[in-house]
Amino acid sequence: MDTTWLAQQLRGRTENLAALAVTGDPAATVPTCPQWTLRVLVGHIGQAHRWAAEIARTGEAAAVPDPHTADPGEVDHWRDWLIEGAAELVTAVRAEAPVWTFLGPRPASFWLRRMLHDAVVHHLDIGRTVGTVVEVDPVLAADGISEVLELLTAPGAEAVKPALAELRGSGQTIAVQATDCATGWRISLTPKGIRLDDSGAPADATVTGSAQELLTVFTGRSAVDSVVVRGDRALVEHWLAHTAL
């Protein structure tokens, strides 16, 4: 995705989730992240943007921060604090020089895209916490699915997420298709690990739903019953069990 588009989306998404977050109870448990309260979730979002900005500025690794140590301040300060964090990241990504990522050196815009989709999913988390339906544009949701799958299938991903080793197979395939945009994905479980597969052969399982429904399932925010699964359902459940974020 274009860096300008990513920056615009991150700014807009952060403004929207910030406006929603301030309507909630800071002590409320986040249903989709039950180990966190709304305050901790807000702290994580702003903290993550600042952490990624430091990496983009220096190009070097930085210790992953503990969300429970983030201090977003009083609720009436949350909006400004969140928006400032997103702006700091956008400003830090000024060039496409390689920087540190957990999958090896990548262009700095890696962190814009990663933090954008982290914000999208957490916007959905905030919506569930405060009882408000959050809508995600199909193109943005589809890119979120693409980004997750690219991370999971990248060289070195098993070292970061050892559970992925359990997804080695003998060529089983899962086809995923969004019903509200012309985007689909095909996953293959090979002896050497999972791969994105662009072949046209029939899949062992197919998963269909709106891009937002698929995003929530593939990021562990909704049960598989919220989408349509045909074929080998156990294969899909096996995938989801070992790719949970």
Side-chain angles (χ1 to χ4, degrees):
M1 287 290 182
D2 175 77
T3 300
T4 300
W5 183 86
L6 291 170
Q8 291 172 340
Q9 291 292 322
L10 178 65
R11 287 180 183 274
R13 182 62 49 173
T14 303
E15 290 177 3
N16 290 339
L17 70 82
L20 188 59
V22 299
T23 68
D25 176 359
T29 297
V30 180
T32 42
C33 301
Q35 72 278 22
W36 288 354
T37 62
L38 179 59
R39 179 181 178 81
V40 172
L41 176 56
V42 168
H44 161 71
I45 296 167
Q47 182 188 61
H49 290 170
R50 289 165 171 82
W51 172 72
E54 180 182 353
I55 295 170
R57 279 192 299 268
T58 66
E60 303 296 328
V64 178
D66 179 355
H68 291 86
T69 66
D71 182 12
E74 298 299 320
V75 174
D76 59 5
H77 182 59
W78 283 4
R79 181 178 179 277
D80 290 342
W81 186 75
L82 287 166
I83 290 172
E84 288 165 6
E88 183 177 336
L89 175 55
V90 169
T91 299
V93 181
R94 291 187 176 275
E96 285 291 60
V99 302
W100 177 88
T101 79
F102 34 75
L103 295 172
R106 298 284 182 92
S109 60
F110 170 94
W111 288 110
L112 270 183
R113 192 180 185 210
R114 177 82 291 274
M115 290 298 105
L116 166 60
H117 292 304
D118 187 66
V120 168
V121 171
H122 288 319
H123 192 185
L124 295 168
D125 292 333
I126 292 169
R128 293 193 182 186
T129 304
V130 304
T132 297
V133 175
V134 172
E135 300 289 346
V136 181
D137 178 80
V139 172
L140 179 59
D143 188 61
I145 298 166
S146 293
E147 195 249 2
V148 168
L149 293 178
E150 288 166 18
L151 292 176
L152 294 174
T153 57
E158 284 188 12
V160 179
K161 190 174 180 60
L164 296 177
E166 299 299 319
L167 292 173
R168 294 181 183 179
S170 55
Q172 298 91 334
T173 52
I174 303 170
V176 183
Q177 181 62 54
T179 56
D180 52 353
C181 62
T183 309
W185 306 264
R186 190 179 165 87
I187 306 155
S188 181
L189 281 60
T190 79
K192 294 184 178 181
I194 54 177
R195 300 287 184 270
L196 290 177
D197 177 2
D198 59 3
S199 73
D204 296 295
T206 61
V207 185
T208 57
S210 72
Q212 180 167 335
E213 289 169 339
L214 293 170
L215 178 66
T216 61
V217 168
F218 277 78
T219 56
R221 264 58 187 184
S222 296
V224 70
D225 290 339
S226 62
V227 292
V228 177
V229 178
R230 295 185 176 88
D232 191 346
R233 183 185 180 89
L235 176 62
V236 175
E237 292 175 342
H238 179 61
W239 167 273
L240 294 173
H242 291 87
T243 57
L245 299 178

